[in-house]
Every structure is written in structure tokens, then in C-alpha cells.
Amino acid sequence: MMKRSLAYLMLFYESNKPLRLNDVAKKLNVKMPSALETISRLIVKGYLTKIERGKFQISEKGKQYVEEMIWRHAVLEWTFMNKLNIKSKDLCKAISEFEELLPKEIIEKLCEMNEHPYTCPHNIEIPHPGSISSSRKYKYCEV
């Protein structure tokens, strides 16, 4: 999935409520046709659902995807900073460029190697697949 699509999903995930098309376009600083095109693709993939005309919400599949991406990002960041001693201020941005490309099995091994860290280096809680609380909202680290 493209980084732009993740920005849309994060907006819906963090809002925790249905959003109108015009609100999405404003918050993401895009034109309405562009927002509608991306939202339509996310609906086809099952990440968003249409509530009524011009109003959408994140699906369970979308929530799971966002939480997996938060987990992937945090585990990679933790590994780079604490195991490889890479402390670049641009590390979060660099990781976001490839976090989705690595097979899940590699992220799982890194998570295990790091003893399943509970927070990223910026003290943001890490969701772990299989133990994610449905009542919690996790944050995507963008330091």
C-alpha cells in the first residue's frame, strides 16, 4: 500500500468516528476528487466502509492494518536505535519508506530478538499482533 493511503487510514483510525469526504480532503490538504479516488480504492480493498453518501469509516481490516504498521515501524525503529546504535533524527521518516516491504516474519524475528519491546524509543506504546486491545488507540511515531 502506498504511504498516502496509510495517511488516510491513520486519519480515520485516530478520529475513531466516521468522517465526511470534505473533512478528509481538508485535513489531508488534498482536493476532493483526489480524496474520493483514494477512499474508493481503500473501500475496494476492504480498509474503509461507506456509511452514507460522502461519509466513511475505517473497517476492522483497516484498523488491523494500521496497528500492524504501527508495530512494524516501532520494532524497526527500536532495532535501529537500540541494537544498531543509529540515532538519526530522520530515522522515523527513513523507516516509513520501507517498513511495509519487509516480510512480517522478519519483523516478528526482530521483535523477538528485542524481547518484544512495549514502547518505541520515543516512549510510544507498541501494539503487538495477537495482544492488541480493541479499546486502545495506538499512535504512529512520526518524531
Side-chain angles (χ1 to χ4, degrees):
M1 181 177 298
M2 293 173 30
K3 195 173 178 182
R4 178 177 53 161
S5 295
L6 181 58
Y8 279 77
L9 290 175
M10 286 301 302
L11 177 64
F12 281 94
Y13 179 83
E14 290 172 351
S15 75
N16 203 26
K17 64 180 181 180
L19 296 174
R20 296 202 166 279
L21 176 62
N22 59 341
D23 294 330
V24 172
K26 283 180 191 172
K27 288 181 183 189
L28 294 176
N29 198 27
V30 297
K31 295 188 185 320
M32 293 238 309
S34 177
L36 182 58
E37 180 182 334
T38 302
I39 287 171
S40 296
R41 273 196 313 251
L42 292 169
I43 289 171
V44 168
K45 292 180 179 183
Y47 294 115
L48 295 177
T49 57
K50 184 175 183 177
I51 302 301
E52 58 188 55
R53 183 182 168 121
K55 196 171 189 180
F56 311 91
Q57 73 179 13
I58 194 165
S59 67
E60 192 57 39
K61 181 179 178 181
K63 288 178 190 174
Q64 289 172 355
Y65 176 79
V66 167
E67 289 168 350
E68 180 179 325
M69 293 308 294
I70 293 169
W71 169 72
R72 285 171 165 270
H73 183 92
V75 168
L76 287 167
E77 184 182 38
W78 207 96
T79 303
F80 275 80
M81 290 184 86
N82 293 305
K83 295 292 184 183
L84 301 175
N85 202 28
I86 297 172
K87 308 242 190 270
S88 167
K89 67 181 176 102
D90 298 321
L91 188 58
C92 280
K93 184 178 180 194
I95 288 171
S96 71
E97 298 295 326
F98 69 88
E99 63 199 4
E100 187 178 28
L101 302 176
L102 294 173
K104 188 174 182 178
E105 296 78 28
I106 291 176
I107 307 296
E108 288 170 343
K109 289 287 186 190
L110 290 172
C111 190
E112 186 179 309
M113 177 186 83
N114 292 314
E115 299 176 353
H116 306 282
Y118 292 102
T119 61
C120 78
H122 305 290
N123 208 30
I124 297 172
E125 186 178 2
I126 301 173
H128 289 274
S131 63
I132 295 173
S133 170
S134 61
S135 62
R136 292 195 55 92
K137 286 290 172 207
Y138 299 93
K139 290 186 64 161
Y140 185 84
C141 179
E142 294 180 294
V143 176

